[in-house]
Amino acid sequence: MKRLILVAAVVVCGCNDNFDPASLVAGLRLLQVKADPPDVAPGEAVTMTATFANPGGSVPAITWDACLLPPPPATGQSVNQDCITLEGGDQLVRLGTGGSIATTMPMIGLESVGLPDQTNGFYLPVRLRLEADGKRLTAFYSLRIFLGALTPNSRNMNPTLMGIYKVPAADAGADAQVMLDDTAPLEVHEKEEVPLRALLTPDATETYVIFDGDPRTTPPRTVDETVRVSWYTTAGTFSNEATGVARPDTTLTLDKHLPAPGSTIDIWTISRDERGGGDALHRRLIFR
Amino acid sequence: MRFALHLLPLLASTALVPVAAFGQEAPAARPDVPAARLDQAPKLLRFIEAEAPAALAERKQVDVVLTIDIDAAGKVVKVDVAQSGGQEFDDAAIAAARQFEFAPGESGGKPVPVRITYQYRFFFKAPPPPPPPAATDTPRVESVPVDGRVLRAGDREPLAGLTVIIDDGPLTTTTNAAGRFRVDVPVGAHTIHVVGPEVVKSDFKVTLNPGKSLSTTWYVAARERYTSTVRGQRPVVEAVEQTLSGDELRRIPGTQGDTLKAVQNLPGVARAPFGGGQIIVWGSSPQDTRTYVDGVYIPTLYHFGGLRSTVNSEMVSALQFLPGGYSVEHGRGLGGVIEVETRGPRTDGYHGFVQLDLIDGSLMLEGPITKNLSFAVSARRSWIDVFLPIFTTNDFQLSPVYYDYQAKLRWKATPRDDVDLFIFGSDDVLKLVLKGSSDPTLQAQFDSHTYYHRILARWQHRFANRAVLTLTPSVGYDVPFQFKANFGNTIVAVDAATFEYSLRAAWRQPIWKELRFDAGIDLEGNRRYLSANGPMRGMPREGDSGMGFGGAFVFDQVTLDEITFAPFVALNFTPIKGLLITPQFRLDVFSFRGYQTTPDAFDKSYVLPEPRVSARYQINKWAAVKAAAGAYHQPPDPTVFLKSFGNPAVLPQSGWHYVAGVELQPTPSLHIEAQGFYKDLRGLVVRGERPGDPILVNDSQGRVYGAELLVRQELFKGFFGWVAYTISRSERKDHPDEPWRLFQYDQTHILTIIGSYKFGRGYQVGIRFRYVTGNPYTPITGSTYDVNGDVYIPTQGPIYSGRLGSFNQLDVRFDKQWTFHRWSFSMYLDIQNVYGAANPEGYGYNFDYTQRSAIAGLPFLPVFGVRGDF
């Protein structure tokens, strides 16, 4: 409540930080980790792929470690804060290196991974360290542990992105949308407003059961999965940094952080569901 | 040669100043502890002319300023010279004043002792020429009756005790309690003067015709409203106490006419961020300070954000602020106490007001129902939600709505019994939509609805042996906090509802002149329904180490029966003249019962003795020293008893307060007070962070030490104001093996300067300047990316090891009042942050915490309002 009032006061008083938005990729960034499958039973194989960016820099070296330090139950957190700085030992299990790794979900007990989140999921904390050009970025991906018959839900699936489209003028009809294709990059110009759309496959959203409220009086709730699509770019600004299934459109305005004419502008769309699933698409635009 | 003597009783601008707290009962009691505002000023019923010294013929005019102590029966008990006019004149004025008779002043519906400042003016007028020898055949001069009524312009209050002088005398009379007078006056043209301590001298020209009486109503301008403070008879003496009362306090800049917001300007009170309503007293958490209305606890004094108090200022006679070291009458808190005393309805006719400004509108109506029964009702509703869309964006929609209401009945059952019935409440609704995306499933919505309602009755009986019994039972229903947030499929909700009941009983028994025995019972209980669904980490707590990754979601609910019961006793003992020692004892019994009929059921009781003592020595007429020490306990916050978010086994928190200081009163209206304080806090509730710890533990301890100074000029010749300065340090040690750290709201220096001046003709200008050390903050040293949540989790440095820049702000307020015969109209412009200081209230960070910028507080903010009183 007090935080709300603080937020309200900040907005009412017109405070403006003028920071670059999170959607602008100007340095070493990790944008996504896609696990396939996203719901992994202990002992089962999984492939994890990092989507990263480092405009103007070198390709980062990436290390993947599973942290088996259980978070203190009293904190209610999913990752033990000590995992951030842990530099070895039995609690840190190296899973691999590189942009994509194939590994196996460790045979661990649930007591090692903390308490379930709001989707009733347990997760294995996977630490990624990206190092490039003297910079280091630490990130955690929570790999969902498939519990089989312990939950009423079937396996989660990644919300797959079909493509990124340039949306035509409103009177041209939805069918006239044009998929962006790196083999023939779209040319864009300064001050241009580029309407874009990210579409997911029809089966991208699933339903699942959650338990909230008093279990004695409140039945489990079946909910539609919410998929969030985040947009990133190396130039310009988005009207919506996040879109969804119902409103998939945003507009890229080429007004700031523009590259030299003839250069490439990178854009990414990253999909995330609420249970660790995701997908990523990367496209290039030619700035004229 | 003869001298004509005219005596003009003129009240000095500081009309009333306090008298001793215990009147004749305990003369050593502190003479400068205000306790309540006067509802009814003393009325001069019998005026005695002084014998004019012969020197008046030479000096022509002499003024003697007296201080007159009037007891609760209206009898003059003491007269002192505050400003001499010469020995002969002083003696004459004192001799006359000792024979005055008054209708006593009243506070809280009962007569109270009051000290007034009275200016006695002697002036010389040559005697009229001797009348010619009476002729036996001269016809007798006919007189006709004049029936008059004198009312105060603006609010039509009858003015009693005014002197009505026909021409230059010697024919005079006095108005009665209804403001009426009757006098037979010779026919012809006359000028009738109305003079008195409350009014500006007024002259009325009349022409009286033979055989025709005159009936008239005259409206006279008030010199000053009776706005100062009085010392009521409190059960016990407080070591440190500030009382706010009076119309002038409504005109402090930055308060938007809200008397109760003025408490934020007192020494020992830290500045709340963004001008919010948190009361942070002597380095304690806001929730450690308890607020009472007529002795009954309320969960919040202000509507959200501190916009307005939840009790209409017009219903309030005084606000008593006890920052620490307070008496056994209060407990259950480690911070301070705020006691709001409401006033009785007016009985001299129907009155009220309507007030409108950019934030809200309010109205009030009061008056008599029968001779012994009177009523007052008031209500307020905000409309800031109408204006906020101007400031918000399409992505951010904020809709706050609040209202409050008060209704009071006062029944003077017998001369010894007063009965009040007071119904009041407050309701706040907040809706906030953060769009952030055009997709509705990605938007966030926050809703909160909190309220409280109370019904209290108060019966006071005054026994023939001077004992006084006060009983105050109450019931209420509250939702002290409630919150629901939707983020996609995720629902975070906290609900609390309580049925509240309380009983406060106080018995005050004078035993002999040097000893009085006070005893009472302070009972509060409630049945509380608590439920929460959300991150197990729960609500933010002071000293939290910040955000974490993801987090477990849990649901929990409990029905909590909480009974706290505290008998208390105090002896007010005066072993030698001027020394008052008050040993006190309070026995707090806390009982908590939850999860009834389940395996998690708990039933815990704690018996907590709280010895306290205070002492005060009046060195001389204008200087006193004082000290106090005492033990205090505070029940854990109710949410702690939700086992999934807290720990039902946590113990009450405890503390010791120590205070010592001096008080000076160089003039009747100038008050200087300085004190040092130390607080030792133990068993504070913090998060368990070691392996095996429960979620919350009693590991933390705190220490607060500092000093404060208050120089306060009460209303005098149109000016009032104060300078308050506090230097302090508040620290916490979260776990025994950790070092001391700063408290979240530690503010080393707090300086507040307030001044207000009435220019006359209804114009008034006030300023408020504040300088405060910036709040501590926790620096951020880096961040880690949470891939699933697409957010960066900040890495924090040592808790509260940084310090924001200092705060300084000037506020100005302009008032203009037009007074008509039957009503008055006023306008005000209240401008906050006149010079637009960009005071930092925190830091905002970019998405990965690699950049930051200061978040400025309130900008230049003018608020305009109008008000009509009748």
Side-chain angles (χ1 to χ4, degrees), chain A residues 4 6 29-30 73 76 78 115-116 138-140 142 213-214 216 221 224 232 240 242-247 272 274, chain B residues 274 396 398 432 437-439 442 483 489-490 536 548-549 551-553 555 557 784-785 787-788 790 792 845 847:
Chain A
L4 274 182
L6 183 72
R29 296 279 293 274
L30 176 66
S78 59
L115 299 166
T138 302
F140 279 86
S142 296
D214 183 358
R216 293 169 298 183
R221 216 161 37 106
D224 292 326
Y232 301 92
N240 286 311
T243 58
V245 176
R247 301 277 178 85
R272 288 183 177 84
E274 297 159 318
Chain B
F274 290 106
F396 174 89
L398 178 67
L432 176 65
S437 168
S438 60
D439 194 297
L442 304 181
F483 175 79
N489 286 320
T490 303
M536 185 177 156
F549 287 85
F553 254 61
F555 170 84
Q557 67 175 13
T784 307
Y785 183 52
V787 178
N788 302 59
D790 189 23
Y792 284 78
Y845 293 85
F847 67 94

Side-chain angles (χ1 to χ4, degrees), chain B residues 207-225:
Chain B
T207 300
L208 302 173
N209 298 312
K212 291 186 177 177
S213 63
L214 175 67
S215 182
T216 184
T217 299
W218 289 330
Y219 297 91
V220 299
R223 183 176 296 279
E224 290 291 350
R225 294 290 296 270

Side-chain angles (χ1 to χ4, degrees), chain A residues 12-13, chain B residues 832-833 836-837 857-861:
Chain A
V12 169
C13 76
Chain B
Q832 293 192 62
N833 200 4
L858 289 178
F860 175 84
L861 182 64

Side-chain angles (χ1 to χ4, degrees), chain B residues 58-131:
Chain B
E58 185 179 335
R59 295 177 60 181
K60 305 300 183 190
Q61 179 175 312
V62 176
D63 289 338
V64 179
V65 179
L66 304 172
T67 57
I68 303 176
D69 288 359
I70 304 161
D71 69 10
K75 186 180 173 187
V76 174
V77 294
K78 188 180 179 188
V79 180
D80 288 323
V81 175
Q83 180 183 314
S84 175
Q87 189 62 48
E88 286 180 293
F89 291 91
D90 294 351
D91 293 344
I94 290 172
R98 280 180 176 153
Q99 300 175 66
F100 286 0
E101 291 177 8
F102 291 85
E106 289 189 5
S107 178
K110 60 180 184 294
V112 293
V114 175
R115 174 180 295 166
I116 68 170
T117 302
Y118 197 93
Q119 182 170 319
Y120 220 130
R121 173 168 295 175
F122 300 82
F123 65 90
F124 174 75
K125 190 173 189 303

Side-chain angles (χ1 to χ4, degrees), chain B residues 435-480:
Chain B
K435 289 191 173 175
S437 168
S438 60
D439 194 297
T441 62
L442 304 181
Q443 296 172 1
Q445 180 168 333
F446 305 84
D447 297 296
S448 172
H449 184 193
T450 60
Y451 54 83
Y452 72 82
H453 303 283
R454 289 284 186 281
I455 301 174
L456 73 84
R458 183 154 71 170
W459 170 50
Q460 184 173 73
H461 180 75
R462 294 175 288 278
F463 292 89
N465 64 355
R466 296 186 297 155
V468 177
L469 171 67
T470 306
L471 286 176
T472 312
S474 80
V475 293
Y477 189 75
D478 302 355
V479 172

Side-chain angles (χ1 to χ4, degrees), chain B residues 362-394:
Chain B
S362 61
L363 55 83
M364 180 178 178
L365 180 66
E366 61 182 324
I369 299 173
T370 67
K371 183 181 174 186
N372 295 320
L373 188 64
S374 54
F375 79 99
V377 293
S378 62
R380 170 166 46 202
R381 204 278 191 190
S382 68
W383 43 59
I384 191 171
D385 52 312
V386 176
F387 296 100
L388 268 181
I390 299 170
F391 302 100
T392 54
T393 65
N394 193 39

Side-chain angles (χ1 to χ4, degrees), chain A residues 1-13 15-24 28-33 72-79 81 84 115-119 123 128 137-143 208 210-217 221 223-230 232 240-249 272-277, chain B residues 273-274 278 286-287 304-305 388 391-393 396 398 430 432 434 436-442 446-448 450 482-483 487-491 533 536-537 539-540 545-555 557 598 687-690 693-696 745 783-790 792-795 841 844-848 851-859:
Chain A
M1 176 69 184
K2 286 165 187 165
R3 283 190 173 180
L4 274 182
I5 293 171
L6 183 72
V7 170
V10 169
V11 174
V12 169
C13 76
C15 306
N16 186 358
D17 49 41
N18 291 318
F19 295 132
D20 287 335
S23 58
L24 180 70
L28 178 62
R29 296 279 293 274
L30 176 66
L31 303 178
Q32 169 69 307
V33 171
T75 66
Q77 296 183 0
S78 59
V79 176
Q81 294 284 322
I84 297 173
L115 299 166
D117 71 352
Q118 67 271 28
T119 69
Y123 298 86
L128 290 87
L137 173 67
T138 302
F140 279 86
Y141 172 66
S142 296
L143 180 61
Y208 64 100
I210 61 174
F211 303 91
D212 53 7
D214 183 358
R216 293 169 298 183
T217 58
R221 216 161 37 106
V223 298
D224 292 326
E225 198 170 48
T226 299
V227 177
R228 175 189 178 94
V229 177
S230 302
Y232 301 92
N240 286 311
E241 292 188 305
T243 58
V245 176
R247 301 277 178 85
D249 294 353
R272 288 183 177 84
D273 66 22
E274 297 159 318
R275 297 181 290 167
Chain B
F274 290 106
Q278 296 165 304
Q287 60 268 27
F304 27 60
L388 268 181
F391 302 100
T392 54
T393 65
F396 174 89
L398 178 67
L430 180 71
L432 176 65
L434 293 169
S437 168
S438 60
D439 194 297
T441 62
L442 304 181
F446 305 84
D447 297 296
S448 172
T450 60
Q482 187 273 337
F483 175 79
F487 311 91
N489 286 320
T490 303
I491 297 174
N533 185 68
M536 185 177 156
R537 196 165 174 78
M539 300 289 278
S545 56
M547 301 162 60
F549 287 85
F553 254 61
V554 289
F555 170 84
Q557 67 175 13
T598 74
R687 294 189 192 282
E689 292 183 348
R690 292 167 300 194
D693 270 352
I695 296 172
L696 297 173
Y745 297 115
S783 65
T784 307
Y785 183 52
D786 177 358
V787 178
N788 302 59
D790 189 23
Y792 284 78
I793 308 299
T795 304
E841 299 285 13
Y845 293 85
N846 70 336
F847 67 94
D848 63 354
Q851 301 173 50
R852 75 176 190 187
S853 69
I855 300 171
L858 289 178

